[in-house]
C-alpha cells in the first residue's frame, strides 16, 4: 500500500474545499473511490487526518502536517515537469558556480568541459571568489553552487567533499632553497616572491598567512595564471606558491624544485556547498551530481 500523486492531489483538494464530495468531483473520482483513498492514507500512517463535522471536514494536526508535505511534493513534481519541459523544447539553462582559485584553475576546467559537452543547451557562469565571499553569495541566491576551503564557515549551507588541496613552494632549480624537501612558510619569507593578481582568492590567502607571521608579502611581479607563475619562478624571478597538483605538472617544463610547506594551513579540504537540493534547478542539480562524484584525493 503506497501513496501516489492522485492521493496527494485529492487530499490537497479536500483541504481547500472542506468536502470529500467536492474534492472527489474536482479530481474526477467517484465518491466511494475518494473515500477509499482517504482511508488508505489514514491506515498507512495509523493516524486520523480529518475530522468529520456537520459543516464539513476539518484537518487534524496530523492532517495539517500531511498537507504541508503533500503540497511540497506536488510543487516539486510541477517544477520537475516544467524544467524537463524546458529541455524538451530546447530552452537554455544556466548554472552559476563560484569557486576558489585552485578549483577554478586545476579541478573544474576538465569537469565543466565534460558537463557542457553532455548538456549543450546549458551554460555555466564560473566566478573565482574567496571562500569567505562564496558562502554569503549562495545564501543570498547570487550563485547556485560553490567550491570552498573546507575550513571556511558554511553558515546555513549544505556541504559535500570535493578535493584535497596541498599548497607547495616552487623555486628555480638553482635557488638557495631548492634542495629542501620541506620548509615552514616563515623560513621562505626572507626571499623574493612572485605572485598571482591581488584579487586572486589564493593569493589573498597566501598574503594573509604572511601577515600572520608579521611580514607583508610584496610580489616582484604578478602573473595571471599558474603556468606564467611557474615560468617566472623557473627563470629565477622569485619563489611562488602553487597547488601541488599544478606544481608537479609544471616542474619538468620549467626546471623547478617543488618544496613542501610544513604549515598546517597548506593542506586544505575543498568542499562543495549549496543551499538545498530542493531549491536547485535541474541543470544545477546535474552539475552538483557530477562534481560530487568526482572526488579528488
Amino acid at each position: 500500500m503506497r501513496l501516489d500523486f492522485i492521493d496527494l492531489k485529492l487530499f490537497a483538494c479536500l483541504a481547500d474545499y472542506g468536502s470529500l464530495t467536492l474534492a472527489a468531483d474536482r479530481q474526477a473520482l467517484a465518491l466511494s473511490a475518494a473515500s477509499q483513498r482517504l482511508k488508505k492514507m489514514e491506515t498507512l500512517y495509523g493516524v486520523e487526518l480529518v475530522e468529520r463535522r456537520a459543516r464539513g471536514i476539518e484537518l487534524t494536526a496530523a492532517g495539517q502536517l500531511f498537507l504541508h508535505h503533500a503540497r511540497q511534493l506536488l510543487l516539486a513534481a510541477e517544477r520537475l515537469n516544467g524544467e524537463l519541459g524546458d529541455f524538451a523544447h530546447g530552452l537554455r539553462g544556466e548554472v552559476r558556480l563560484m569557486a576558489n582559485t585552485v578549483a577554478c584553475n586545476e579541478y573544474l576546467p576538465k569537469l565543466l568541459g565534460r558537463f557542457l559537452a553532455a548538456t549543450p543547451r546549458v551554460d555555466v557562469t564560473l566566478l573565482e571568489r574567496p571562500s569567505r565571499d562564496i558562502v554569503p553569495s549562495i545564501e543570498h541566491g547570487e550563485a547556485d553552487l560553490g567550491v570552498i576551503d573546507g575550513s571556511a564557515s558554511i553558515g546555513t549551507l549544505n556541504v559535500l567533499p570535493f578535493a584535497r588541496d596541498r599548497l607547495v613552494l616552487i623555486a628555480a632549480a638553482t635557488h638557495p632553497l631548492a634542495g629542501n624537501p620541506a620548509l615552514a612558510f616563515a623560513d621562505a619569507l626572507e626571499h623574493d616572491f612572485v605572485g598571482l593578481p591581488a584579487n586572486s582568492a589564493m593569493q589573498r590567502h597566501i598574503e594573509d598567512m604572511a601577515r600572520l607571521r608579521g611580514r607583508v608579502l610584496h610580489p616582484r611581479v604578478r602573473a595571471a595564471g599558474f603556468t606564467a607563475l611557474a615560468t617566472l619562478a623557473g627563470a629565477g624571478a622569485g619563489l611562488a606558491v602553487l597547488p601541488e597538483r599544478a606544481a608537479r605538472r609544471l616542474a619538468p617544463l620549467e626546471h623547478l624544485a617543488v618544496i613542501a610547506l610544513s604549515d598546517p594551513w597548506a593542506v586544505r579540504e575543498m568542499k562543495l556547498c549549496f543551499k538545498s537540493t530542493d531549491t536547485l534547478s535541474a541543470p544545477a542539480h546535474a552539475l552538483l551530481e557530477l562534481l560530487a562524484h568526482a572526488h579528488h584525493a
Side-chain angles (χ1 to χ4, degrees):
M1 185 165 53
R2 295 180 180 178
L3 290 179
D4 57 35
F5 280 101
I6 296 175
D7 295 330
L8 301 180
K9 289 177 181 178
L10 173 66
F11 197 82
C13 275
L14 181 58
D16 290 337
Y17 295 105
S19 163
L20 187 59
T21 301
L22 288 176
D25 183 62
R26 288 288 179 174
Q27 294 302 310
L29 293 171
L31 181 59
S32 59
S35 180
Q36 287 174 0
R37 284 182 177 274
L38 178 57
K39 183 178 180 181
K40 177 182 76 172
M41 289 182 257
E42 292 184 318
T43 301
L44 184 61
Y45 293 102
V47 294
E48 289 188 352
L49 299 175
V50 300
E51 290 182 354
R52 292 161 178 82
R53 300 180 181 274
R55 299 177 61 183
I57 285 179
E58 292 185 9
L59 302 189
T60 64
Q64 292 288 351
L65 179 62
F66 185 90
L67 176 65
H68 169 74
H69 288 286
R71 284 179 169 158
Q72 290 292 319
L73 289 168
L74 291 170
L75 180 62
E78 287 179 12
R79 188 162 57 236
L80 173 62
N81 289 336
E83 290 178 0
L84 289 180
D86 287 348
F87 276 110
H89 290 88
L91 300 180
R92 302 191 72 92
E94 180 189 15
V95 184
R96 299 162 299 167
L97 173 62
M98 290 185 176
N100 61 18
T101 306
V102 178
C104 283
N105 285 273
E106 285 299 310
Y107 295 95
L108 290 174
K110 188 172 183 179
L111 293 171
L112 290 180
R114 285 169 48 194
F115 176 76
L116 292 168
T119 55
R121 305 300 294 175
V122 176
D123 297 332
V124 174
T125 298
L126 175 62
L127 298 173
E128 181 186 325
R129 294 287 188 272
S131 297
R132 61 177 174 266
D133 294 343
I134 293 172
V135 171
S137 293
I138 294 178
E139 287 179 329
H140 297 150
E142 296 166 14
D144 303 302
L145 305 172
V147 181
I148 61 172
D149 184 341
S151 65
S153 172
I154 62 169
T156 61
L157 301 183
N158 292 292
V159 295
L160 292 171
F162 179 63
R164 178 173 293 173
D165 163 42
R166 179 187 293 274
L167 298 178
V168 298
L169 279 171
I170 57 170
T174 57
H175 194 280
L177 297 181
N180 292 281
L183 278 174
F185 186 49
D187 295 335
L189 291 174
E190 298 296 329
H191 297 266
D192 290 331
F193 272 78
V194 294
L196 295 167
N199 62 354
S200 158
M202 191 180 94
Q203 188 65 31
R204 287 166 64 176
H205 177 64
I206 293 164
E207 293 179 17
D208 285 347
M209 293 302 102
R211 276 190 287 273
L212 287 175
R213 286 149 185 80
R215 300 294 300 271
V216 177
L217 199 62
H218 291 295
R220 297 184 65 202
V221 64
R222 295 183 185 273
F226 294 163
T227 301
L229 202 59
T231 300
L232 287 165
L239 300 171
V241 178
L242 282 185
E244 185 175 25
R245 179 184 171 113
R248 299 290 180 194
R249 172 169 49 84
L250 294 167
L253 303 176
E254 303 296 345
H255 307 290
L256 294 167
V258 178
I259 306 163
L261 284 169
S262 58
D263 306 76
W265 58 264
V267 179
R268 301 182 298 174
E269 298 285 344
M270 287 191 287
K271 306 285 188 183
L272 289 165
C273 61
F274 53 96
K275 261 188 178 182
S276 165
T277 54
D278 293 337
T279 62
L280 292 177
S281 67
H285 196 280
L287 180 56
L288 176 64
E289 286 290 309
L290 173 66
L291 298 180
H293 289 91
H295 184 62
H296 300 274

